[in-house]
Structures are given as structure tokens and as C-alpha cells.
Amino acid sequence: MTSRLPAFYNLPLEQRLEALAQQAGLSAADRQAFELPGGLELSQADHMIENVVGIFGLPLGVALNFLVNGREVLVPMAIEEPSVVAGASYMAKLARAGGGFTAGSDPPMMIGQVQLLDLPDLPAAAERIQARVREILEAADQALPGMVELGGGAREVELRSFPETPAGPMLVVHLLCDTRDAMGANSVNTALEAIAPLLESISGGRAHLRILSNLADRRLAWAGCRLPAAALAYSDFSGEAVRDGIVEAWAFAAVDPYRAATHNKGIMNGIDSVLIATGNDWRAAEAGAHAYAASQGGYRPLSRWWSDEQGALCGELRLPLAAGIVGGATQAHPLARACLALLGVKSARELAEILAAVGLAQNLAALRALATEGIQRGHMILHARQFAISAGAAPDEIEGVVRQMVAEGEIRLERAAELVRQRKG
Ligand code: MEV
């Protein structure tokens, strides 16, 4: 199996799907899910949320060329923004010159919080809870028989004391749960609600909120890549110039939160689109990523880019990634299930590692464009293509119409229509 499918872009849509199904060995049911508009029946959607009136479609593309920890990966991405899929694919292709992406992840440890208030004696409550951790973990595990059977369950209790808050002295109990291949929100929330009465009786306080934390900093994923400078050469730019431009672009984000926010947004363009395609909670990942970016004093870029002693460009990305391959919509949504089959991931950790690699590739695509010709040229070509298609250009006319509009610097639907008319007549 390979993720290198040259000329994939030029294939008619049905043949693209055929090529994909063959490469990934998709089952007939998974393949069908790609053909169903929106990948979901209205009757299925009706059971997922309330007051359903339709299905909102997003384009689903596939990023090619990804090699992650030596494995070829085809990456499904659901997103409305042009350039994202192309950018990820192109950077993954360049990264192959350095062996692709290496990636790793923490065990799938989620943090749940119980807020204890009205404590007669905060330090004494903390001490009593510390002394009964084993009992608390057992009570949590009893609420999670399925998770325990799969080898997961409650692992640790941590305490955080806030002696002075607007709500009075507050003790926050963290319950750390290994949620295996699930994102884990449901399991953790169930366990928290189960242990809350016990915490009340031990502490003498009142358990108020009992909810998962999205700052999943015990469930980090990371990815790295190393590109020989020569692989970065393009147009009139030498590889060294592109490399240095990328490192300078990163330095901007490292010192300025206004830039870091946009830098991180570019990373999340890649990660979110894979999360959406796989039925995962992308808002949770967004919250975790930005909270983590702000967790060490100031708001920082999630990635780092530098030049090594051999002059190669090195990059790494690290962030919390709470994503699952079971539970939620991951298996209930037919297209999400098919996208997971396409990825061929066997565990939530493997998915998190691919997500980190995609985020790093996306970041590289943005920085490379910004550090050279700017991002508008690439966007303009894509806009021109959309106008050419809307103006009725036949498949073999599209590139000519696009090239002419870009050369003229006049990218408008009316101009595309004129050019199509000229070609047809
Ligand atoms: C646009 O969606 C994302 C970028 O702004 C990211 C960045 O500036 O690094 C291009």
C-alpha cells in the first residue's frame, strides 16, 4: 500500500474513489459511505442530535504522501477551505526526503475534575482524600466496568487547592483515567459523578462541578520531521533561503501572541479537518491546543522550527490530542467509520500521532508559502479553478482558463465565463 498516488488530482472523482478503495482495501460498506451525500442518512442524523432538519455537507479530500513512523497513510480531511489538503499533501511529499514524520504519544490519559466547595477545613480535606486514593480509584473503576475490561480505568488522583476564590476555599480533585481507544469524555464524566458522593463524605464539603478537563496535557501527541535544505528549493528560492525564511517565520510566532494565534490556527486547519472526517470532537482538541499553548506563561506556538548542524530544516509539534477510534460518532457515522478504515489506525494513540504529523505538515505548508511568495498566489489559483468550473469549463479546459486568469491577474467569474465562451466558440 502506498500513499503516493501520482496524478490522483487529475482523475475523475469516481476513479479517485476507486483508486483509494483499492489502496486501502476498503469494504463495500465503507466505500458506499463515501458515495452517500454527506456520508450519512437523514434518518441516522435524526438520532444524533436534536431538532434535525438536514445534513450539512463539507468537502472531504484525501491528503497523500504521508509516511508516519514508516507507515504509508492516506489522510481524510473534511474542510471548506481551499489549499489545506494540497498544502498537507505537498509538505508530506517533501518530508519524505527526510524519511517522513516520526511521531509519538502519551498513553490515553484523560483528566476529570470535581470541584469541592463549602469545606470546613481545606488542608485537612486534602489530607483525608490523599489517604483514601485507593478507595476513590476503586469507586471510579466500578462505574467503568467496560473500560476496565479493556485494560483502561482510573489511575491517579491529584489535588489542587485554591484557598481564596470568589466561591470561597476550593479543592479541585483530578481523576486521571486511561480511556484506551475512546476520546473518553463520557467515561470520565460517568466516573466523576460516581465518586462525587464519596469525595463529599471524605472532605465534608459539597461536590459542585464534575466534568472532564479539555486541557488534556497528560495525553500529548508529538511529531517531528527533518528536511534536507535541497528539498525546500522552489521557484527562484534556494532551499537555504526557504529554510531560513521558515525559521524566521517561527521566531515571529515565538515572540508575538498575535502571530502565534494564527500560526496555531494553521496547525489546527490540518488537525481539525481529520478530526471532523473521523467523527471526533474537534472543539475539544481546539480548546486543549490553545489552553496548552498558553500553559507556560504567555501564548506560544505549538510547533518549533530550527536549522540543524547539517543545514537541514527540523520541525516538531507537541499538543494535547484527545481523539478516539471508538465511541461518539466515530463508529456511528458511516463516513467517519470509513475514514478511520482509510487511515488504517489500530488505536487512538496511532490516530493522535497521525494528527500531530498532519498538523506539522500543515504548519510547514503555511510557513513555506508565507516565507516565500505569500499565500495569496496559491489561493488565487484555487479560486480561479473554482471560477473556471462554475463557468462551465470542461475538464480539459480548466487548466488553460486558470492559467490565463492568473497571468492576467484578473480572477473573476465573468472573466472565466468569457474565456470559456471563447474556447467553446
Ligand atoms: C489560514 O487558514 C492559515 C494561515 O493563516 C496559517 C499561518 O498564517 O501560519 C495561512
Side-chain angles (χ1 to χ4, degrees), residues 81 259 262-263 265-266 269 366-367 370 375:
E81 184 175 330
R259 171 60 205 152
T262 323
H263 179 105
K265 189 273 183 182
N269 272 346
L367 298 189
L370 288 166
I375 58 161

Side-chain angles (χ1 to χ4, degrees), residues 20-348:
L20 211 59
Q22 265 183 17
Q23 278 302 320
L26 291 182
S27 69
D30 285 340
R31 198 202 143 129
Q32 242 171 23
F34 282 94
E35 283 161 342
L36 190 67
L40 189 67
E41 303 279 4
L42 202 49
S43 56
Q44 292 168 314
D46 196 21
H47 293 297
M48 288 174 74
I49 63 162
E50 310 73 40
N51 299 351
V52 168
V53 290
I55 293 173
F56 186 94
L58 274 179
L60 177 68
V62 178
L64 306 177
N65 308 319
F66 272 85
L67 191 59
V68 183
N69 290 337
R71 189 167 84 78
E72 300 277 352
V73 192
L74 290 161
V75 182
M77 302 177 90
I79 186 162
E80 85 298 346
E81 184 175 330
S83 300
V84 169
V85 176
S89 301
Y90 191 27
M91 293 309 111
K93 188 169 160 197
L94 296 190
R96 294 175 84 96
F101 299 90
T102 51
S105 57
D106 288 330
M109 199 73 83
M110 295 302 284
I111 301 170
Q113 301 187 293
V114 178
Q115 177 196 26
L116 294 175
L117 296 171
D118 304 340
L119 294 155
D121 182 340
L122 190 151
E127 240 170 70
R128 283 201 300 273
I129 289 175
Q130 285 291 9
R132 293 175 66 180
V133 162
R134 186 183 295 268
E135 196 184 329
I136 295 166
L137 294 176
E138 276 169 15
D141 274 349
Q142 266 170 26
L144 304 173
M147 194 59 84
V148 171
E149 203 167 300
L150 291 168
R155 294 284 186 267
E156 284 176 52
V157 171
E158 288 176 348
L159 298 178
R160 303 173 72 237
S161 293
F162 300 95
E164 279 178 45
T165 82
M170 189 187 297
L171 184 60
V172 178
V173 181
H174 278 193
L175 178 72
L176 272 59
C177 290
D178 180 329
T179 61
R180 299 282 89 193
D181 285 326
M183 185 273 191
N186 276 333
S187 306
V188 171
N189 292 336
T190 300
L192 294 173
E193 292 190 6
I195 63 168
L198 177 60
L199 292 174
E200 285 182 330
S201 89
I202 298 173
S203 66
R206 169 172 64 91
H208 193 42
L209 300 197
R210 296 146 296 164
I211 188 74
L212 176 92
S213 168
N214 286 124
L215 176 48
D217 61 0
R218 298 291 292 266
R219 193 176 184 174
L220 301 180
W222 51 90
C225 63
R226 182 180 180 276
L227 286 82
L232 291 162
Y234 117 96
S235 181
D236 291 339
F237 300 93
S238 72
E240 287 74 19
V242 176
R243 174 199 65 202
D244 295 346
I246 289 170
V247 175
E248 286 165 354
W250 168 77
F252 183 5
V255 297
D256 180 5
Y258 285 90
R259 171 60 205 152
T262 323
H263 179 105
N264 290 343
K265 189 273 183 182
I267 293 170
M268 299 311 288
N269 272 346
I271 292 178
D272 285 343
S273 52
V274 184
L275 289 169
I276 293 170
T278 55
N280 271 289
D281 182 348
W282 54 274
R283 286 89 54 212
E286 281 282 338
H290 297 293
Y292 185 68
S295 65
Q296 271 139 39
Y299 182 90
R300 305 281 174 85
L302 292 162
S303 66
R304 190 164 76 88
W305 292 98
W306 71 98
S307 172
D308 73 6
E309 278 157 16
Q310 287 80 46
L313 176 71
C314 301
E316 68 176 23
L317 168 67
R318 187 177 295 265
L319 77 169
L321 271 173
I325 62 166
V326 296
T330 59
Q331 296 298 323
H333 190 299
L335 191 48
R337 200 172 51 218
C339 286
L340 282 167
L342 181 66
L343 280 161
V345 285
K346 303 274 183 301
S347 67

